[in-house]
Amino acid sequence: MPLKTDDLKTFEAYKKAIKQDLTKISKQGNTKFWVYKDIELPTASGGKQKLPALISLVDDVATKAVLKGKPPLCHGLCGLEGDKIAFHATQGTVPYAVLTKSVPLLLGKMVHIPGGADVDSDGGEQPQHPPAAPPPPGGGAPQGRYAQLNAAWKQFAQQAEERIKAHPGEQARLAPVMADIPKMLQGGQLGEAEKRIAALQAALNIPPPPPGGPPANYAQLNATWKQLSAEANQRMATFPALRDSLTKTMAGIPEMLQGGKLGDARKRLEQLQAEIKAPPPPPPPPPAAARAAAAAATGQPYPGIVKYRKALVEFAQAKSTVQLQIRGLQGAIKAQLPDQAEFANDLAEEIEDLNQELADAVDEAMKAAENEASPATDAVKLKIRKYLTELSSNRLIQRADSNPFGVAVTIGKTLGDALQRIREAMPA
């Protein structure tokens, strides 16, 4: 609960109340904070207790009323970095010199101090927008790229401060995106900084809610948009052929909502929902599978060849099943661990490379099966045995099959069983 007026009547009441608010601070780093400097509160015994820093969490309505308009030294968002509290100011300067002494006494935790922060600062200077990050230490990254990113950060940070000043409600949306960018730049993490600066630019491109607050049904439509956009991303990850259509339908919906065009937004959301629910297009059959199916359906070849061709067709079906499983796993990793998107892409690519190697071997077997005089060469038999061994021992496949993301993946069994049927059906 935020501080109440009664919590600020005595130092003892404040200390008890602010300690209870500690549970509001989480790893998400989205808890609002305000810091007031050099505040005196009465004590229970009738004396006075001076607080070098008075901290208010969640909101400071009661604090402003009690302090009668005294401006805060700084305010922004805070969260947990390990077992320490990290403060990210969106206005003013974090007074680390004061907080490192006060926070352990009030909240029972240490203060996280990011690299390059002024640990001696008492917050006396209050810049109008976040300062530029100092250059990275000793030759860590190309200076040209650093200078370019640092200039972009200064520009967008100033725009964000102006946006927040004009529309205070935008602080909760913009502040988490801005957090840690100076630390990334100074630490030489230029790739991560570039991504975060791009995200800040995209956030600034979205107009603020209409004056006077969004209409009553804005919240409902916005919640629907968040849900459907997540479902659409999952759908595209599972069925890449749907990406162009879904992306086109999703385009412009956030701008419609922010601009108050709720009727247009509702129609587009209904269209998006219908596309998500529509059955996906069937995967095209592999050319080799089609040839084998046609061959199996014509004529009466000598005993054994029909069973062999059927096993080859079944492998093509197994390959399509595995491809869908891989896409599902890739989508789940991106949805649950967005920062592991590159790993998810690499995992899917590596498994699909192996899948394609298997398919090439089976395609070779299919071509041989079209010639009844030579349905299975020794080379094909050797490849089948090799890949059966690979499927049973490949660590990547084992990790995918036992993944912790709730996606049913059976690469080893599905392809292994299909290859085993081919091996067993091979004519002598």
Side-chain angles (χ1 to χ4, degrees):
M1 295 289 291
L3 292 175
K4 301 184 290 295
T5 304
D6 289 345
D7 297 329
L8 296 167
K9 287 185 176 181
T10 66
F11 168 72
E12 290 81 5
Y14 166 72
K15 189 174 180 180
K16 179 180 179 181
I18 196 64
K19 187 66 177 289
Q20 292 175 343
D21 282 347
L22 179 63
T23 58
K24 302 295 183 183
I25 303 177
S26 66
K27 292 182 179 180
Q28 280 69 37
N30 56 4
T31 303
K32 295 181 181 179
F33 79 89
W34 291 259
V35 175
Y36 295 83
K37 186 180 179 184
D38 296 334
I39 303 298
E40 282 191 348
L41 291 179
T43 64
S45 60
K48 293 281 188 180
Q49 175 69 46
K50 183 175 180 179
L51 283 78
L54 185 146
I55 303 170
S56 179
L57 299 174
V58 183
D59 75 46
D60 69 337
V61 175
T63 307
K64 285 193 294 188
V66 172
L67 300 183
K68 303 186 184 305
K70 178 181 175 69
L73 191 63
C74 69
H75 68 80
L77 298 174
C78 64
L80 293 178
E81 287 277 351
D83 195 41
K84 298 180 180 180
I85 301 177
F87 294 88
H88 303 287
T90 56
Q91 184 170 343
T93 302
V94 177
Y96 287 107
V98 179
L99 293 182
T100 51
K101 298 176 182 178
S102 300
V103 169
L105 296 176
L106 294 174
L107 299 175
K109 286 186 177 291
M110 303 297 288
V111 175
H112 170 74
I113 301 178
D118 183 1
V119 296
D120 297 322
S121 171
D122 62 359
E125 298 180 358
Q126 297 192 23
Q128 295 303 307
H129 55 81
Q143 291 297 315
R145 187 183 180 201
Y146 166 82
Q148 184 181 17
L149 291 175
N150 198 38
W153 156 241
K154 289 167 63 178
Q155 175 188 349
F156 294 132
Q158 183 172 359
Q159 293 177 14
E161 284 299 317
E162 293 172 354
R163 173 75 66 83
I164 291 171
K165 186 179 295 184
H167 305 278
E170 290 281 85
Q171 177 173 313
R173 186 173 69 89
L174 296 176
V177 185
M178 299 167 65
D180 293 334
I181 293 178
K183 181 170 67 175
M184 293 174 182
L185 288 170
Q186 191 224 349
Q189 299 174 283
L190 302 190
E192 293 301 318
E194 185 173 13
K195 293 177 183 177
R196 189 70 70 84
I197 291 171
L200 176 59
Q201 182 182 15
L204 289 169
N205 287 336
I206 299 176
N217 56 351
Y218 167 87
Q220 181 181 359
L221 290 175
N222 196 43
T224 302
W225 158 242
K226 290 181 179 179
Q227 177 185 346
L228 291 179
S229 62
E231 292 178 6
N233 286 328
Q234 178 71 30
R235 190 77 163 166
M236 288 186 288
T238 306
F239 304 104
L242 298 176
R243 180 173 300 278
D244 290 344
S245 174
L246 289 174
T247 300
K248 183 178 180 180
T249 303
M250 295 166 68
I253 294 179
E255 289 77 10
M256 293 177 189
L257 291 170
Q258 295 290 348
K261 300 178 181 178
L262 302 188
D264 293 339
R266 182 182 293 106
K267 292 178 182 178
R268 188 71 69 82
L269 287 170
E270 290 172 355
Q271 179 184 347
L272 178 60
Q273 185 176 36
E275 289 187 26
I276 292 173
K277 290 183 177 180
R291 290 196 302 269
T298 60
Q300 295 294 327
Y302 59 86
I305 193 66
V306 172
K307 182 179 179 182
Y308 178 49
R309 290 172 174 165
K310 180 181 177 183
L312 296 174
V313 174
E314 288 174 349
F315 176 85
Q317 296 168 346
K319 176 175 175 286
S320 296
T321 299
V322 166
Q323 283 180 320
L324 293 179
Q325 292 177 353
I326 294 170
R327 292 302 179 191
L329 176 59
Q330 182 184 22
I333 294 175
K334 290 182 178 179
Q336 298 180 37
L337 299 173
D339 59 337
Q340 296 295 317
E342 186 174 349
F343 166 76
N345 292 336
D346 291 342
L347 175 66
E349 183 178 351
E350 189 168 347
I351 294 179
E352 286 191 350
D353 284 346
L354 176 60
N355 202 8
Q356 189 56 49
E357 287 182 24
L358 294 171
D360 290 341
V362 173
D363 276 347
E364 186 177 345
M366 287 181 177
K367 292 175 183 177
E370 293 173 355
N371 180 2
E372 294 182 356
S374 179
T377 66
D378 291 339
V380 172
K381 293 180 179 179
L382 183 61
K383 286 185 178 181
I384 297 296
R385 287 197 296 270
K386 171 190 170 185
Y387 286 120
L388 278 169
T389 303
E390 175 70 9
L391 284 171
S392 64
S393 61
N394 188 286
R395 295 289 297 278
L396 188 62
I397 291 176
Q398 292 171 3
R399 289 177 61 188
D401 285 354
S402 59
N403 72 85
F405 299 97
V407 179
V409 180
T410 57
I411 300 172
K413 177 173 176 53
T414 300
L415 294 181
D417 289 351
L419 284 174
Q420 188 62 40
R421 287 193 293 271
I422 294 174
R423 184 181 181 185
E424 294 171 354
M426 280 183 173

